[in-house]
Amino acid sequence: GSIVILGVMAHEFGHAIGLQHTLASSVMATNATTGATRANPLAADDIAGISYLYPTPDFAAQTGSLSGSVTDTSGSGVNLASVAVAGPGLAAVSALTNPDGTYTLRGIPPGTYYLYVQPLPPPFQGQTTLDGIVYPVGRDGQTAIPPSHFFAGQFFPGTQSPRAATPITVEAGASQAGFNFQVSAVPQPAVFGVRTYG
């Protein structure tokens, strides 16, 4: 009961200060994945988002960043792909790609991670956009730029097998670039949400 109320309040407050929904298991996640608890109402992904919007020098010096792009087989940038890092014993940190397919993951605590990309899930009941995301707008300030298309998710450097993924070490204060993905379009994701109860 009370954790649900706490989670909803923290989620809506996150929107009030400028955070979008995320696919990383955090308070800003939706029905696809949630991970808020009374002991840890904010996950690393929530903290990274808040710290990007309201930066402090200390946070940037204590965390790292990764950047790259997501393109499809035609070479076009994929808009609103969810790119994330996660690792054993480490919380996920994520970002959405820009309309040109570029992304930067900021606020990653030091550690060794696996980097992956996945599409936004279809809308849940009551949502009018994929995952309830507010889409970016074009230069006119009004025309929404929707996600490019669904695609098959993958781990870096281009595999669907976690065993074949390359671990990436993130160091405090370091920015690393060149983590690019090329994805293949699919009609709809086969699996887009798993919830574990405990």
Side-chain angles (χ1 to χ4, degrees):
S2 63
I3 185 58
V4 173
I5 293 169
L6 172 68
V8 169
M9 288 175 57
H11 179 95
E12 297 307 326
F13 183 74
H15 286 314
I17 63 171
L19 296 177
Q20 280 266 36
H21 287 160
T22 179
L23 297 187
S25 191
S26 68
V27 77
M28 292 313 298
T30 59
N31 289 333
T33 176
T34 56
T37 66
R38 184 187 303 263
N40 290 310
L42 297 179
D45 194 53
D46 302 312
I47 295 166
I50 293 165
S51 299
Y52 174 66
L53 294 174
Y54 306 97
T56 66
D58 290 345
F59 186 78
Q62 295 168 1
T63 60
S65 68
L66 302 175
S67 62
S69 65
V70 180
T71 57
D72 60 24
T73 53
S74 74
S76 298
V78 177
N79 182 36
L80 293 174
S82 176
V83 184
V85 291
L90 299 168
V93 174
S94 69
L96 297 173
T97 56
N98 299 308
D100 66 356
T102 59
Y103 71 89
T104 301
L105 283 167
R106 295 176 177 89
I108 307 168
T112 300
Y113 296 86
Y114 293 98
L115 177 66
Y116 64 94
V117 62
Q118 63 186 348
L120 294 176
F124 291 100
Q125 184 175 359
Q127 293 178 335
T128 57
T129 62
L130 299 187
D131 198 42
I133 294 289
V134 177
Y135 297 159
V137 295
R139 294 182 190 269
D140 64 5
Q142 297 176 3
T143 306
I145 305 172
S148 301
H149 47 68
F150 292 121
F151 57 88
Q154 59 180 254
F155 291 88
F156 185 80
T159 177
Q160 290 189 309
S161 170
R163 292 184 183 139
T166 300
I168 298 166
T169 300
V170 174
E171 297 177 0
S175 298
Q176 301 176 65
F179 296 97
N180 303 323
F181 293 93
Q182 186 176 63
V183 297
S184 299
V186 297
Q188 187 162 341
V191 175
F192 56 85
V194 174
R195 178 165 287 190
T196 303
Y197 294 90

